[in-house]
Amino acid sequence: PLALQAAAAAVPALEGSRRRTARSLSAERRLIGLGPGVSVIPLIDEELAELRPRVGELASRCKQLTEDLVRARETEVAEKARLRTNRTLAKQRAMNVASKVQAAIRGWLVRRRVVVTMNREIALKLSNAALLQDLLREQLRQLQGTMHGLKYQPEHHQVAAVRVQAFWRGILARRTVAVLRVAHALRSMHERMDKASTRISSWMRTRRATLKFRTEIRTRMKATQERQLREMETGLRCIINLQRATRARLARKKVEAARRLRSMATGDLSTNGAVAAVLIDTWRPGGLAGDPAGD
């Protein structure tokens, strides 16, 4: 459509250019003031030489517009064909949808009629079945009574009564045993829970007393440790004193023996003081608190 509009607009432009060319020639002739007998062929040749490039441009433009017009017509034809195809497809699609809707409605109506008919038949069958069920139950009861009378004779009644009694006695005994087992389990559980509660309460009381007298217990433990440490130090001091006395006694014995030997060997008693000074015990234990030797 745009190419057609351009071609239609180009045709009046060409006609207008021709008219303007003719008018320009007559106007130029009047302006120049040429008489009727004067030739204007040179002027025309000059003007034709000037207008030839423009004519070529106009010719190429006309050719281009013609090609655009052809392409526009082809495009228009293809568009019309596509529109006709789309319309046909739309009609077919609408017909298919209408057919499906009609088929769905017809199916629903048929199903509705079938369901109504089936419901009526089912209701009728159920009413008849209720009557037939009661009749069948009564007949089965009568048949059961007849079969029981044929199978069990009057002498079998006592045996059946004994069996029934034994069966129920067994049930009662099993129930009694089960109750006794449950009672024993409950009693055991009660004793266990009682012992557990006693242990828990004892632990709680112990814990509470421990938390309550913790400071006092720690103070007494510390005092006990200090007393034991003092007793150990006292015992060590006593042991050291005993060892010191024993060593001193042994040293004195050695000094006396050395003196006797020397007096017997040399008869000189002037070196007794030097020997005593050499053999004096000077050992002291260290590391005990309050001991001057350790200090």
Coordinates of all heavy atoms in Angstrom, one line a residue, residues 197-270:
S197 N 12.0 -44.2 94.9 CA 11.7 -43.0 95.5 C 12.5 -42.8 96.8 O 12.9 -41.7 97.1 CB 10.2 -42.9 95.8 OG 9.8 -44.0 96.7
T198 N 12.7 -43.9 97.5 CA 13.5 -43.8 98.8 C 15.0 -43.4 98.4 O 15.6 -42.6 99.1 CB 13.5 -45.2 99.5 OG1 12.2 -45.6 99.8 CG2 14.3 -45.1 100.8
R199 N 15.5 -44.1 97.4 CA 16.9 -43.7 97.0 C 17.0 -42.2 96.5 O 17.9 -41.5 96.9 CB 17.3 -44.6 95.9 CG 17.6 -46.0 96.3 CD 18.1 -46.9 95.1 NE 18.3 -48.3 95.5 CZ 18.7 -49.2 94.7 NH1 18.9 -48.9 93.4 NH2 18.8 -50.5 95.1
I200 N 16.0 -41.8 95.8 CA 16.0 -40.4 95.3 C 15.9 -39.5 96.4 O 16.6 -38.4 96.5 CB 14.9 -40.2 94.2 CG1 15.1 -41.0 93.0 CG2 14.7 -38.8 93.9 CD1 14.0 -41.1 92.0
S201 N 15.0 -39.8 97.4 CA 14.8 -38.9 98.5 C 16.1 -38.8 99.4 O 16.5 -37.8 99.9 CB 13.6 -39.3 99.4 OG 13.8 -40.6 99.8
S202 N 16.7 -40.1 99.6 CA 18.0 -40.1 100.3 C 19.0 -39.3 99.6 O 19.8 -38.5 100.3 CB 18.4 -41.5 100.5 OG 19.6 -41.6 101.1
W203 N 19.1 -39.5 98.3 CA 20.1 -38.7 97.6 C 19.9 -37.2 97.7 O 20.8 -36.4 97.8 CB 20.1 -39.1 96.1 CG 21.1 -38.4 95.3 CD1 22.5 -38.7 95.2 CD2 20.9 -37.3 94.4 NE1 23.1 -37.8 94.3 CE2 22.1 -36.9 93.8 CE3 19.8 -36.5 94.1 CZ2 22.2 -35.9 93.0 CZ3 19.9 -35.5 93.3 CH2 21.1 -35.2 92.7
M204 N 18.6 -36.8 97.6 CA 18.2 -35.4 97.6 C 18.6 -34.8 99.0 O 19.1 -33.7 99.2 CB 16.8 -35.2 97.3 CG 16.4 -35.4 95.9 SD 17.3 -34.2 94.8 CE 16.5 -32.7 95.4
R205 N 18.2 -35.6 100.1 CA 18.6 -35.2 101.4 C 20.1 -35.0 101.6 O 20.6 -34.1 102.2 CB 18.0 -36.1 102.5 CG 16.5 -36.0 102.6 CD 16.0 -36.7 103.9 NE 16.2 -38.1 103.8 CZ 15.3 -39.0 103.3 NH1 14.1 -38.5 102.9 NH2 15.6 -40.3 103.3
T206 N 20.8 -36.0 101.1 CA 22.3 -36.0 101.2 C 22.8 -34.8 100.4 O 23.7 -34.0 100.9 CB 22.9 -37.3 100.6 OG1 22.4 -38.4 101.3 CG2 24.4 -37.2 100.8
R207 N 22.3 -34.6 99.2 CA 22.7 -33.4 98.4 C 22.4 -32.1 99.1 O 23.2 -31.2 99.1 CB 22.0 -33.5 97.1 CG 22.4 -32.4 96.1 CD 23.9 -32.5 95.7 NE 24.3 -31.5 94.8 CZ 25.5 -31.3 94.4 NH1 26.5 -32.0 94.9 NH2 25.8 -30.3 93.5
R208 N 21.2 -32.0 99.7 CA 20.8 -30.8 100.4 C 21.7 -30.6 101.6 O 22.1 -29.4 101.9 CB 19.3 -30.9 100.8 CG 18.7 -29.6 101.3 CD 17.3 -29.8 101.6 NE 16.5 -30.3 100.5 CZ 15.3 -30.7 100.5 NH1 14.6 -30.8 101.7 NH2 14.7 -31.1 99.4
A209 N 22.0 -31.6 102.4 CA 22.8 -31.5 103.5 C 24.3 -31.1 103.1 O 24.9 -30.3 103.8 CB 22.9 -32.8 104.4
T210 N 24.7 -31.7 102.0 CA 26.1 -31.4 101.5 C 26.1 -29.9 101.1 O 27.1 -29.2 101.4 CB 26.4 -32.3 100.3 OG1 26.3 -33.7 100.7 CG2 27.8 -32.0 99.8
L211 N 25.1 -29.5 100.4 CA 25.1 -28.1 100.0 C 25.0 -27.1 101.2 O 25.6 -26.0 101.2 CB 24.0 -27.8 99.0 CG 24.1 -28.5 97.6 CD1 22.8 -28.2 96.8 CD2 25.3 -28.0 96.9
K212 N 24.3 -27.6 102.2 CA 24.1 -26.7 103.3 C 25.3 -26.6 104.2 O 25.7 -25.6 104.7 CB 22.9 -27.3 104.2 CG 22.5 -26.5 105.4 CD 21.3 -27.1 106.1 CE 20.9 -26.2 107.3 NZ 19.8 -26.8 108.0
F213 N 26.0 -27.8 104.4 CA 27.2 -27.8 105.3 C 28.5 -27.9 104.5 O 29.5 -28.4 105.0 CB 27.1 -29.0 106.3 CG 25.9 -29.0 107.1 CD1 24.8 -29.8 106.8 CD2 25.8 -28.1 108.2 CE1 23.7 -29.7 107.7 CE2 24.7 -28.1 109.0 CZ 23.6 -28.9 108.7
R214 N 28.5 -27.5 103.3 CA 29.7 -27.6 102.5 C 30.8 -26.8 103.0 O 32.0 -27.3 103.2 CB 29.4 -27.1 101.0 CG 30.6 -27.2 100.1 CD 30.3 -26.7 98.7 NE 29.4 -27.6 98.1 CZ 28.8 -27.4 96.9 NH1 29.1 -26.3 96.2 NH2 28.1 -28.3 96.3
T215 N 30.5 -25.5 103.4 CA 31.6 -24.7 104.0 C 32.2 -25.2 105.3 O 33.4 -25.3 105.5 CB 31.0 -23.3 104.2 OG1 30.4 -22.8 103.0 CG2 32.1 -22.3 104.7
E216 N 31.3 -25.7 106.1 CA 31.7 -26.3 107.4 C 32.5 -27.5 107.2 O 33.6 -27.8 107.8 CB 30.5 -26.6 108.3 CG 30.9 -27.1 109.7 CD 29.7 -27.3 110.5 OE1 28.5 -27.0 110.1 OE2 29.8 -27.7 111.7
I217 N 32.1 -28.4 106.2 CA 32.8 -29.6 105.9 C 34.2 -29.3 105.4 O 35.2 -29.9 105.8 CB 32.0 -30.5 104.9 CG1 30.8 -31.0 105.6 CG2 32.9 -31.6 104.4 CD1 29.8 -31.7 104.6
R218 N 34.3 -28.3 104.5 CA 35.6 -27.9 104.0 C 36.5 -27.3 105.1 O 37.7 -27.6 105.1 CB 35.4 -26.9 102.8 CG 34.8 -27.5 101.6 CD 34.7 -26.4 100.5 NE 34.1 -27.0 99.3 CZ 33.8 -26.2 98.2 NH1 34.0 -24.9 98.2 NH2 33.4 -26.8 97.1
T219 N 35.9 -26.5 106.0 CA 36.7 -26.0 107.1 C 37.3 -27.1 108.0 O 38.4 -27.1 108.3 CB 35.8 -25.0 107.9 OG1 35.3 -24.0 107.0 CG2 36.7 -24.3 108.9
R220 N 36.4 -28.0 108.3 CA 36.8 -29.1 109.2 C 37.8 -30.0 108.5 O 38.8 -30.5 109.1 CB 35.6 -29.9 109.6 CG 34.7 -29.2 110.6 CD 33.6 -30.1 111.1 NE 32.7 -29.4 112.0 CZ 31.7 -30.0 112.6 NH1 31.4 -31.2 112.4 NH2 30.9 -29.3 113.5
M221 N 37.6 -30.2 107.2 CA 38.6 -31.0 106.4 C 40.0 -30.3 106.4 O 41.0 -31.0 106.6 CB 38.1 -31.3 105.0 CG 37.0 -32.3 104.9 SD 36.4 -32.5 103.2 CE 37.8 -33.2 102.5
K222 N 39.9 -29.0 106.2 CA 41.2 -28.3 106.2 C 41.9 -28.3 107.6 O 43.1 -28.5 107.7 CB 40.9 -26.8 105.8 CG 42.2 -26.0 105.6 CD 41.8 -24.6 105.0 CE 43.1 -23.8 104.8 NZ 42.7 -22.4 104.3
A223 N 41.1 -28.1 108.6 CA 41.6 -28.2 110.0 C 42.2 -29.6 110.3 O 43.3 -29.7 110.9 CB 40.5 -27.9 111.0
T224 N 41.5 -30.6 109.8 CA 42.0 -32.0 110.0 C 43.3 -32.2 109.3 O 44.2 -32.8 109.8 CB 40.9 -33.0 109.5 OG1 39.7 -32.8 110.2 CG2 41.4 -34.4 109.7
Q225 N 43.4 -31.7 108.0 CA 44.6 -31.8 107.3 C 45.8 -31.1 108.0 O 46.9 -31.6 108.1 CB 44.4 -31.3 105.9 CG 43.5 -32.1 105.0 CD 43.3 -31.5 103.6 OE1 43.8 -30.4 103.3 NE2 42.5 -32.2 102.8
E226 N 45.5 -29.9 108.5 CA 46.5 -29.1 109.2 C 47.0 -29.9 110.4 O 48.2 -29.9 110.8 CB 46.0 -27.7 109.5 CG 45.8 -26.8 108.3 CD 45.3 -25.5 108.7 OE1 44.9 -25.3 109.8 OE2 45.1 -24.6 107.8
R227 N 46.0 -30.4 111.2 CA 46.3 -31.2 112.4 C 47.2 -32.4 112.1 O 48.2 -32.7 112.8 CB 45.1 -31.6 113.1 CG 45.3 -32.2 114.5 CD 44.1 -32.6 115.2 NE 43.3 -33.6 114.6 CZ 42.2 -33.5 113.9 NH1 41.7 -32.2 113.7 NH2 41.6 -34.5 113.3
Q228 N 46.8 -33.1 111.0 CA 47.6 -34.3 110.6 C 49.0 -33.9 110.2 O 50.0 -34.5 110.5 CB 46.9 -35.0 109.5 CG 45.6 -35.7 109.9 CD 44.9 -36.4 108.7 OE1 45.3 -36.2 107.5 NE2 43.8 -37.1 109.0
L229 N 49.1 -32.7 109.5 CA 50.4 -32.2 109.1 C 51.2 -31.9 110.3 O 52.4 -32.2 110.3 CB 50.2 -31.0 108.1 CG 51.5 -30.4 107.6 CD1 52.2 -31.5 106.7 CD2 51.2 -29.2 106.7
R230 N 50.6 -31.2 111.3 CA 51.4 -30.9 112.5 C 51.8 -32.2 113.2 O 52.9 -32.2 113.7 CB 50.5 -30.0 113.4 CG 50.4 -28.6 112.9 CD 49.8 -27.7 114.0 NE 48.5 -28.1 114.5 CZ 47.4 -27.7 114.0 NH1 47.4 -26.9 112.9 NH2 46.2 -28.1 114.5
E231 N 50.9 -33.2 113.3 CA 51.3 -34.4 113.9 C 52.4 -35.1 113.2 O 53.3 -35.6 113.8 CB 50.1 -35.3 114.0 CG 49.0 -34.9 114.9 CD 47.7 -35.8 114.9 OE1 47.7 -36.7 114.1 OE2 46.8 -35.5 115.7
M232 N 52.4 -35.0 111.8 CA 53.5 -35.6 111.1 C 54.8 -34.9 111.4 O 55.8 -35.5 111.5 CB 53.2 -35.6 109.6 CG 52.1 -36.5 109.2 SD 51.6 -36.4 107.4 CE 53.1 -36.8 106.7
E233 N 54.7 -33.5 111.4 CA 55.9 -32.8 111.7 C 56.5 -33.1 113.1 O 57.7 -33.2 113.3 CB 55.6 -31.3 111.6 CG 55.4 -30.8 110.2 CD 55.1 -29.3 110.1 OE1 55.0 -28.7 111.1 OE2 55.0 -28.8 108.9
T234 N 55.5 -33.2 114.1 CA 55.9 -33.5 115.5 C 56.6 -34.9 115.5 O 57.6 -35.1 116.2 CB 54.7 -33.5 116.4 OG1 54.1 -32.2 116.3 CG2 55.2 -33.8 117.8
G235 N 56.0 -35.9 114.8 CA 56.6 -37.2 114.7 C 57.9 -37.2 114.1 O 58.9 -37.9 114.6
L236 N 58.1 -36.4 113.0 CA 59.4 -36.4 112.4 C 60.4 -35.7 113.3 O 61.6 -36.2 113.3 CB 59.3 -35.6 111.1 CG 58.6 -36.3 109.9 CD1 58.4 -35.3 108.7 CD2 59.4 -37.5 109.5
R237 N 60.0 -34.7 114.1 CA 61.0 -34.1 115.0 C 61.4 -35.0 116.1 O 62.6 -35.1 116.5 CB 60.3 -32.8 115.6 CG 60.2 -31.6 114.7 CD 59.9 -30.3 115.5 NE 59.7 -29.2 114.6 CZ 58.6 -28.8 114.2 NH1 57.5 -29.4 114.5 NH2 58.5 -27.8 113.3
C238 N 60.4 -35.8 116.6 CA 60.7 -36.8 117.6 C 61.7 -37.8 117.0 O 62.7 -38.2 117.7 CB 59.5 -37.5 118.1 SG 58.4 -36.4 119.0
I239 N 61.4 -38.3 115.8 CA 62.3 -39.3 115.2 C 63.7 -38.7 115.0 O 64.8 -39.4 115.3 CB 61.7 -39.7 113.8 CG1 60.5 -40.6 114.1 CG2 62.7 -40.6 113.1 CD1 59.7 -40.8 112.8
I240 N 63.8 -37.4 114.5 CA 65.1 -36.8 114.3 C 65.8 -36.6 115.7 O 67.0 -36.9 115.8 CB 64.9 -35.4 113.7 CG1 64.4 -35.6 112.2 CG2 66.2 -34.6 113.7 CD1 63.9 -34.4 111.6
N241 N 65.1 -36.3 116.7 CA 65.7 -36.2 118.0 C 66.3 -37.5 118.5 O 67.4 -37.6 119.1 CB 64.8 -35.6 119.0 CG 64.4 -34.1 118.7 OD1 65.3 -33.4 118.2 ND2 63.2 -33.7 119.1
L242 N 65.5 -38.6 118.3 CA 65.9 -39.9 118.7 C 67.2 -40.3 117.9 O 68.1 -40.8 118.5 CB 64.8 -40.9 118.5 CG 63.6 -40.8 119.5 CD1 62.5 -41.8 119.0 CD2 64.0 -41.1 120.9
Q243 N 67.1 -40.0 116.6 CA 68.3 -40.3 115.7 C 69.5 -39.5 116.2 O 70.6 -40.0 116.3 CB 68.0 -40.1 114.3 CG 67.0 -41.0 113.6 CD 66.7 -40.7 112.2 OE1 67.1 -39.6 111.7 NE2 65.9 -41.5 111.5
R244 N 69.2 -38.3 116.5 CA 70.4 -37.4 117.0 C 71.0 -37.9 118.3 O 72.2 -38.0 118.4 CB 69.8 -36.0 117.1 CG 70.9 -35.0 117.5 CD 70.3 -33.6 117.7 NE 69.7 -33.2 116.5 CZ 68.9 -32.1 116.4 NH1 68.6 -31.4 117.5 NH2 68.3 -31.7 115.3
A245 N 70.1 -38.3 119.2 CA 70.6 -38.8 120.5 C 71.3 -40.1 120.3 O 72.4 -40.4 120.9 CB 69.4 -39.0 121.4
T246 N 70.7 -41.0 119.3 CA 71.4 -42.3 119.1 C 72.8 -42.1 118.5 O 73.8 -42.7 118.8 CB 70.5 -43.1 118.2 OG1 69.2 -43.3 118.8 CG2 71.2 -44.5 117.9
R247 N 72.9 -41.1 117.5 CA 74.1 -40.9 116.8 C 75.2 -40.3 117.8 O 76.4 -40.6 117.8 CB 74.0 -39.9 115.6 CG 73.2 -40.5 114.5 CD 73.3 -39.6 113.3 NE 72.5 -40.1 112.2 CZ 71.3 -39.7 111.9 NH1 70.7 -38.8 112.7 NH2 70.6 -40.2 110.9
A248 N 74.6 -39.4 118.7 CA 75.5 -38.8 119.7 C 76.1 -39.9 120.7 O 77.3 -39.9 121.0 CB 74.8 -37.7 120.5
R249 N 75.2 -40.8 121.1 CA 75.6 -41.8 122.0 C 76.7 -42.7 121.3 O 77.7 -43.1 121.9 CB 74.4 -42.7 122.4 CG 74.8 -43.7 123.4 CD 73.6 -44.5 123.9 NE 73.9 -45.5 124.8 CZ 73.1 -46.4 125.3 NH1 71.8 -46.3 124.9 NH2 73.5 -47.3 126.2
L250 N 76.4 -43.1 120.0 CA 77.3 -43.9 119.2 C 78.7 -43.2 119.1 O 79.8 -43.7 119.2 CB 76.8 -44.3 117.9 CG 75.6 -45.2 117.9 CD1 75.0 -45.4 116.5 CD2 76.0 -46.6 118.5
A251 N 78.5 -41.8 118.8 CA 79.8 -41.1 118.6 C 80.6 -41.0 120.0 O 81.8 -41.1 120.0 CB 79.4 -39.6 118.2
R252 N 79.9 -40.8 121.1 CA 80.6 -40.8 122.4 C 81.2 -42.2 122.6 O 82.4 -42.2 123.1 CB 79.6 -40.5 123.5 CG 79.2 -39.0 123.5 CD 78.5 -38.6 124.8 NE 77.3 -39.3 125.0 CZ 76.1 -38.9 124.5 NH1 76.1 -37.7 123.9 NH2 75.0 -39.5 124.7
K253 N 80.5 -43.3 122.3 CA 81.1 -44.6 122.5 C 82.4 -44.7 121.6 O 83.4 -45.2 122.1 CB 80.1 -45.7 122.1 CG 79.0 -45.8 123.2 CD 78.1 -47.0 122.8 CE 77.1 -47.2 123.8 NZ 76.2 -48.3 123.4
K254 N 82.3 -44.2 120.4 CA 83.5 -44.3 119.5 C 84.6 -43.5 120.1 O 85.8 -43.8 120.0 CB 83.1 -43.8 118.1 CG 82.3 -44.8 117.3 CD 82.0 -44.3 115.9 CE 81.1 -45.3 115.2 NZ 80.8 -44.8 113.8
V255 N 84.3 -42.3 120.6 CA 85.3 -41.4 121.2 C 86.0 -42.1 122.4 O 87.2 -42.1 122.5 CB 84.7 -40.0 121.5 CG1 85.7 -39.2 122.4 CG2 84.3 -39.3 120.3
E256 N 85.1 -42.7 123.2 CA 85.7 -43.3 124.4 C 86.5 -44.5 124.0 O 87.6 -44.7 124.6 CB 84.5 -43.8 125.3 CG 83.8 -42.7 126.0 CD 82.6 -43.2 126.8 OE1 82.4 -44.4 126.8 OE2 81.9 -42.3 127.4
A257 N 86.1 -45.3 123.0 CA 86.9 -46.4 122.5 C 88.2 -45.9 121.9 O 89.3 -46.5 122.2 CB 86.1 -47.2 121.5
A258 N 88.1 -44.8 121.1 CA 89.4 -44.3 120.6 C 90.3 -43.8 121.7 O 91.5 -43.9 121.6 CB 89.0 -43.1 119.6
R259 N 89.7 -43.1 122.7 CA 90.6 -42.6 123.8 C 91.2 -43.8 124.5 O 92.4 -43.7 124.8 CB 89.7 -41.9 124.8 CG 89.3 -40.5 124.3 CD 88.5 -39.8 125.3 NE 88.1 -38.5 124.9 CZ 87.3 -37.7 125.6 NH1 86.7 -38.1 126.7 NH2 87.0 -36.5 125.1
R260 N 90.5 -44.9 124.7 CA 91.1 -46.0 125.4 C 92.2 -46.6 124.6 O 93.3 -47.0 125.1 CB 90.0 -47.0 125.7 CG 89.1 -46.7 126.9 CD 88.3 -47.9 127.4 NE 87.4 -48.4 126.4 CZ 86.2 -48.0 126.2 NH1 85.7 -47.1 127.0 NH2 85.5 -48.5 125.3
L261 N 91.9 -46.7 123.2 CA 92.9 -47.3 122.4 C 94.2 -46.4 122.4 O 95.3 -46.9 122.4 CB 92.4 -47.5 121.0 CG 91.3 -48.6 120.8 CD1 90.8 -48.5 119.4 CD2 91.9 -49.9 121.1
R262 N 93.9 -45.1 122.3 CA 95.1 -44.2 122.2 C 95.9 -44.2 123.6 O 97.1 -44.1 123.6 CB 94.6 -42.8 121.8 CG 95.8 -41.8 121.6 CD 95.3 -40.6 120.9 NE 94.9 -40.9 119.6 CZ 94.5 -40.0 118.7 NH1 94.4 -38.7 119.1 NH2 94.2 -40.3 117.5
S263 N 95.1 -44.2 124.7 CA 95.7 -44.2 126.0 C 96.5 -45.5 126.2 O 97.6 -45.5 126.8 CB 94.7 -44.0 127.1 OG 93.8 -45.1 127.1
M264 N 96.0 -46.6 125.6 CA 96.7 -47.8 125.7 C 97.9 -47.8 124.8 O 98.9 -48.4 125.2 CB 95.7 -49.0 125.4 CG 94.6 -49.2 126.4 SD 93.5 -50.5 125.9 CE 94.5 -51.9 125.8
A265 N 97.8 -47.2 123.6 CA 98.9 -47.2 122.7 C 100.0 -46.2 123.1 O 101.2 -46.5 123.1 CB 98.4 -46.9 121.3
T266 N 99.6 -45.0 123.4 CA 100.6 -43.9 123.6 C 100.7 -43.5 125.1 O 101.7 -42.9 125.5 CB 100.3 -42.7 122.7 OG1 99.0 -42.3 123.1 CG2 100.3 -43.1 121.3
G267 N 99.6 -43.7 125.8 CA 99.5 -43.2 127.2 C 99.4 -41.7 127.3 O 99.6 -41.2 128.4
D268 N 99.1 -41.1 126.2 CA 99.0 -39.6 126.2 C 97.5 -39.3 126.2 O 96.8 -39.7 125.2 CB 99.7 -39.1 125.0 CG 99.8 -37.5 125.1 OD1 99.3 -37.0 126.1 OD2 100.2 -36.9 124.1
L269 N 97.1 -38.5 127.2 CA 95.7 -38.1 127.2 C 95.4 -36.7 126.9 O 94.4 -36.1 127.0 CB 95.1 -38.3 128.7 CG 95.2 -39.8 129.2 CD1 94.7 -39.8 130.6 CD2 94.3 -40.7 128.3
S270 N 96.4 -36.0 126.3 CA 96.3 -34.6 126.0 C 95.5 -34.4 124.7 O 95.0 -33.3 124.4 CB 97.7 -33.9 125.8 OG 98.3 -34.6 124.7

